[in-house]
Amino acid sequence: SISMLVYAAVQIESLPFKVVCINNVDRPNEVPLNLWPEVGQPYTVVKMDKLKTSGGIGFKLAELNTDGCFPFTYFVAERFAIIPSV
């Protein structure tokens, strides 16, 4: 699946690493607009985990604290593209 490919690619990187938002459609009502990623903006992934709801991979971002937005405390990894480190 795409999630496992993302997870495998991420394992090559060490935390934290940079990503850029490529898809921000379908924001859940539980997540306020000011905590939702903007397309084209870079973010820093500080934690990742398997999502219990979908089984995919989720990213926790340094710039957007969604701890109070349960159950939406991680962003689905497919919303982002990894920015290769140089």
Side-chain angles (χ1 to χ4, degrees):
S1 74
I2 291 176
S3 290
M4 295 319 295
L5 290 173
V6 169
Y7 186 76
V10 167
Q11 292 305 304
I12 297 167
E13 299 284 338
S14 59
L15 290 170
F17 60 92
K18 290 290 202 179
V19 294
V20 63
C21 179
I22 58 172
N23 173 4
N24 72 346
V25 299
D26 297 327
R27 177 181 57 85
N29 291 333
E30 293 85 349
V31 180
L33 194 54
N34 66 315
L35 294 179
W36 195 243
E38 294 180 37
V39 170
Q41 290 297 310
Y43 296 96
T44 307
V45 176
V46 293
K47 188 174 179 184
M48 55 183 233
D49 207 345
K50 185 174 182 180
L51 300 173
K52 291 178 177 65
T53 52
S54 68
I57 302 301
F59 288 163
K60 179 86 64 178
L61 306 177
E63 297 83 358
L64 301 173
N65 184 346
T66 55
D67 289 346
C69 301
F70 184 83
F72 301 102
T73 56
Y74 284 79
F75 294 99
V76 175
E78 284 87 0
R79 294 188 180 281
F80 303 92
I82 297 171
I83 300 172
S85 54
V86 288

